[in-house]
Amino acid sequence: MADVRYYMACIDLRGRSVLVVGGGTVAVEKVHGLLDCEARVTVVAPRVDDELRRLPVRIERREFADGDLDGRLLVVAATDDREVNARVSRAAADRSLLCNVADDPELCSFILPAIVRRDPIVVGVSTGGASPALAQRIRSDIAELVGPEHAALAHRLAALRPWAKRELPSYEARRDYFQQVVAEALR
């Protein structure tokens, strides 16, 4: 799957309905990432990790049913049963829903990069599914480069955007202005 060229995008999940199938450690990790982006998460699994029960998610303690996908933006399959994960993937494909299957890129319609988050900055690293371990290592290296000063600068630049749109007549003028501000701030 490493030869697949993925289209990288940032998805606004605020208030959007997302399904996670599975209730173990991997599901916990995926749910934390979704909640961090303010998604409305429903978990479907016959057994649910204690940590999941403490999170602000809706829990359905049962096996996955295709109808669980109705009204969802996307689904994450995070079970330890490849047959269940494949069924989730097929049902999502039938509905043209985005589906991620943890640790099985062949069943995914999207994969999740390893991320560094320094709000509002988010840097994603993907190896196209070839090696999550390598993506995590690169993420760690990037985390050392992106610090609080970058986040503070991003907030400052966001505050300047309305002024720049009003006062600078063209895209090129705004681009040049912001490039100069960034260069001066990160000397």
Side-chain angles (χ1 to χ4, degrees), residues 80 111 138 170:
D80 57 4
I111 60 173
I138 295 168
S170 67

Side-chain angles (χ1 to χ4, degrees), residues 13-14 29-39 41 56 115-119 122:
L13 294 178
R14 292 174 297 171
E29 176 187 327
K30 302 302 181 186
V31 166
H32 277 292
L34 293 164
L35 290 174
D36 194 36
C37 296
E38 301 178 35
V41 179
I115 65 164
V116 174
R117 186 179 300 277
R118 303 281 188 270
D119 281 333
V122 180

Side-chain angles (χ1 to χ4, degrees), residues 98-120:
L98 294 172
C99 180
N100 174 266
V101 178
D103 202 30
D104 200 340
E106 294 296 325
L107 295 176
C108 295
S109 60
F110 76 98
I111 60 173
L112 297 167
I115 65 164
V116 174
R117 186 179 300 277
R118 303 281 188 270
D119 281 333

Side-chain angles (χ1 to χ4, degrees), residues 2-185:
D3 59 345
V4 173
R5 294 188 58 99
Y6 289 96
Y7 182 77
M8 299 296 281
C10 297
I11 303 171
D12 181 358
L13 294 178
R14 292 174 297 171
R16 301 300 296 267
S17 183
V18 175
L19 178 68
V20 175
V21 180
T25 307
V26 175
V28 170
E29 176 187 327
K30 302 302 181 186
V31 166
H32 277 292
L34 293 164
L35 290 174
D36 194 36
C37 296
E38 301 178 35
R40 285 186 304 111
V41 179
T42 299
V43 174
V44 172
R47 290 174 304 285
V48 177
D49 189 274
D50 286 342
E51 186 175 349
L52 270 175
R53 281 187 279 237
R54 292 188 293 268
L55 295 174
V57 300
R58 179 175 169 211
I59 296 175
E60 301 276 338
R61 293 191 62 173
R62 58 177 173 72
E63 298 291 330
F64 167 76
D66 291 3
D68 293 330
L69 296 174
D70 294 343
R72 312 292 179 184
L73 176 66
L74 59 87
V75 59
V76 176
T79 77
D80 57 4
D81 184 331
R82 190 166 201 277
E83 284 184 34
V84 171
N85 290 343
R87 201 170 110 232
V88 172
S89 177
R90 283 190 305 274
D94 289 347
R95 289 167 170 76
S96 298
L97 288 178
L98 294 172
C99 180
N100 174 266
V101 178
D103 202 30
D104 200 340
E106 294 296 325
L107 295 176
C108 295
S109 60
F110 76 98
I111 60 173
L112 297 167
I115 65 164
V116 174
R117 186 179 300 277
R118 303 281 188 270
D119 281 333
I121 299 169
V122 180
V123 179
V125 177
S126 174
T127 60
S131 175
L134 177 58
Q136 290 166 0
R137 170 57 192 268
I138 295 168
R139 173 193 61 196
S140 294
D141 292 346
I142 290 171
E144 293 180 21
L145 297 173
V146 181
E149 69 277 13
H150 297 97
L153 178 58
H155 286 292
R156 182 174 151 219
L157 295 169
L160 286 171
R161 284 181 62 102
W163 171 86
K165 280 202 163 256
R166 249 188 350 266
E167 301 297 324
L168 301 174
S170 67
Y171 166 80
E172 291 78 13
R174 291 187 295 274
R175 179 198 61 212
D176 294 347
Y177 169 76
F178 282 115
Q179 286 178 347
Q180 181 181 352
V181 171
V182 168
E184 289 173 4

